[in-house]
């Protein structure tokens, strides 16, 4: 598998699958995968979210996509840059193509429109020995779905723009965005981190969070290259790993 093809040169479109990430993993295990392959499904019967959650998405209404990337030339300490890359591609698409306002990245990898989640990302990695061989970037972007069980916290392009958009067009534009930014993983990953931080949800704002059942408040000052969030608590910058703390949103 070589890293010379364009992302989305090969697109596999499925009507129904357990999970596009699982499908991508099976292709990799069978030696059938290529760098840049994109797998899209109308419906997932077992869509996977972060922390072992189920990712629910109404049939034919959303973009459910996995992209396979060859990561052999990267060391695992660059993992967070892939996360930043994925977030930026979606945020860029929503801002520049769909003109959505108030798009931000909620640490570590949710995309928000205002205070509601519009997209989520689940990156799964293949590691052989000490070599990071592949990343599967799985993303669920809410497109035309307008009813959510937790409407208070979820939104979609249709809700935010009052437009119904073609999912294939969203896919095409997202792939463009990915091809626009992918090279920066090689040439200037720090810039990706800068862009990530520039779009960070609640940046420089006071946030409440919990750690080991204790509540804290502090100012969110940024995210570092290892993906740790930096929060100023009582004039002290503290760094936390993903899952070490939980945001408390109103
Ligand atoms: C999250 O919990 O926010 C991450 C959601 C990721 C969902 C996408 S949908 C396409 C891909 N296939 C999966 O099973 N999950 C990801």
């Amino acid at each position: 598998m070589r890293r010379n093809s364009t992302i989305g040169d090969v697109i596999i479109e499925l009507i129904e699958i357990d999970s596009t990430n699982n499908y991508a993993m099976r292709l990799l295990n069978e030696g059938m995968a290529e760098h840049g392959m994109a797998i899209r499904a109308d419906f997932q019967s077992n869509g996977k979210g972060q922390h072992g959650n189920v990712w629910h998405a109404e049939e034919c209404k959303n973009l459910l996509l996995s992209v396979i990337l060859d990561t052999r030339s990267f060391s695992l300490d660059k993992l967070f840059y892939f996360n930043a890359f994925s977030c930026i591609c979606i945020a860029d698409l929503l801002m520049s193509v769909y003109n959505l306002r108030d798009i931000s990245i909620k640490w570590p990898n949710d995309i928000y429109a205002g205070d509601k989640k519009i997209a989520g990302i689940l990156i799964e990695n293949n590691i052989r020995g000490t070599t990071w061989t592949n990343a599967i970037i799985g993303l669920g972007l809410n497109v035309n779905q307008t009813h959510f069980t937790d409407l208070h916290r979820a939104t979609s392009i249709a809700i935010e723009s009052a437009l119904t958009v073609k999912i294939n067009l969203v896919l095409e534009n997202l792939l463009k965005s990915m091809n626009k930014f992918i090279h920066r993983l090689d040439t200037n990953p720090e810039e990706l981190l800068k862009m990530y931080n520039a779009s960070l949800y609640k940046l420089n704002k006071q946030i409440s969070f919990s750690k080991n059942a204790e509540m804290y408040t502090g100012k969110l000052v940024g995210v570092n290259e290892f993906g740790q969030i930096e929060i100023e608590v009582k004039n002290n910058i503290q760094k936390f790993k993903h899952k070490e703390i939980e945001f408390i949103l109103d």
Side-chain angles (χ1 to χ4, degrees):
M1 190 157 74
R2 304 205 141 266
R3 234 161 42 88
N4 52 11
S5 41
T6 307
I7 299 177
D9 260 357
V10 176
I11 302 175
I12 299 176
E13 303 214 270
L14 305 165
I15 294 169
E16 182 176 337
I17 195 72
D18 52 347
S19 146
T20 55
N21 269 27
N22 288 354
Y23 186 94
M25 194 59 92
R26 290 194 287 269
L27 284 181
L28 281 165
N29 291 339
E30 289 159 10
M32 305 284 284
E34 278 171 33
H35 169 80
M37 230 178 209
I39 298 116
R40 177 179 111 63
D42 286 342
F43 182 71
Q44 296 183 132
S45 54
N46 193 18
K48 299 192 293 184
Q50 291 155 23
H51 319 297
N53 289 331
V54 177
W55 183 257
H56 295 285
E58 263 178 39
E59 192 174 346
C60 295
K61 296 235 167 135
N62 302 296
L63 181 62
L64 307 169
L65 180 74
S66 296
V67 168
I68 298 172
L69 298 180
D70 178 350
T71 49
R72 281 173 304 176
S73 59
F74 296 93
S75 57
L76 270 165
D77 59 4
K78 296 283 182 296
L79 204 63
F80 192 73
Y81 290 115
F82 279 72
N83 186 77
F85 159 75
S86 314
C87 293
I88 289 162
C89 293
I90 303 176
D92 174 69
L93 162 86
L94 295 175
M95 291 188 283
S96 61
V97 180
Y98 296 101
N99 297 318
L100 299 193
R101 285 192 206 145
D102 206 7
I103 294 296
S104 63
I105 300 168
K106 179 173 170 284
W107 177 76
N109 50 15
D110 287 340
I111 311 302
Y112 267 40
D115 290 311
K116 295 180 178 184
K117 179 161 164 172
I118 193 164
I121 297 167
L122 177 69
I123 303 182
E124 295 186 273
N125 297 292
N126 261 331
I127 298 160
R128 246 179 249 145
T130 52
T131 311
W132 178 21
T133 53
N134 307 98
I136 299 170
I137 299 188
L139 59 96
L141 169 60
N142 300 333
V143 180
N144 291 323
Q145 185 167 337
T146 50
H147 297 284
F148 295 93
T149 37
D150 188 5
L151 197 59
H152 180 60
R153 290 256 167 256
T155 191
S156 63
I157 297 180
I159 295 175
E160 296 300 315
S161 67
L163 293 171
T164 301
V165 286
K166 287 217 169 81
I167 296 170
N168 266 336
L169 210 54
V170 179
L171 170 63
E172 200 178 293
N173 287 318
L174 179 64
L175 294 171
K176 271 190 201 153
S177 175
M178 288 185 145
N179 284 307
K180 176 164 119 189
F181 291 112
I182 185 90
H183 305 290
R184 303 208 194 161
L185 284 168
D186 294 299
T187 57
N188 198 351
E190 294 76 20
E191 197 199 337
L192 289 175
L193 186 65
K194 253 191 217 159
M195 293 170 76
Y196 176 97
N197 272 302
S199 294
L200 203 57
Y201 180 68
K202 301 273 187 201
L203 181 68
N204 293 325
K205 301 228 167 80
Q206 290 291 322
I207 56 160
S208 300
F209 61 97
S210 65
K211 183 175 187 242
N212 302 330
E214 295 273 340
M215 296 265 288
Y216 301 88
T217 47
K219 187 169 90 170
L220 200 173
V221 290
V223 174
N224 65 25
E225 72 265 41
F226 307 109
Q228 295 166 312
I229 196 165
E230 300 189 347
I231 306 176
E232 191 182 312
V233 184
K234 294 182 187 146
N235 294 325
N236 238 325
I237 307 248
Q238 299 197 14
K239 299 175 188 176
F240 301 101
K241 282 190 259 175
H242 179 33
K243 294 183 192 157
E244 206 179 335
I245 62 164
E246 210 164 292
F247 272 33
I248 299 167
L249 302 170
D250 348 288

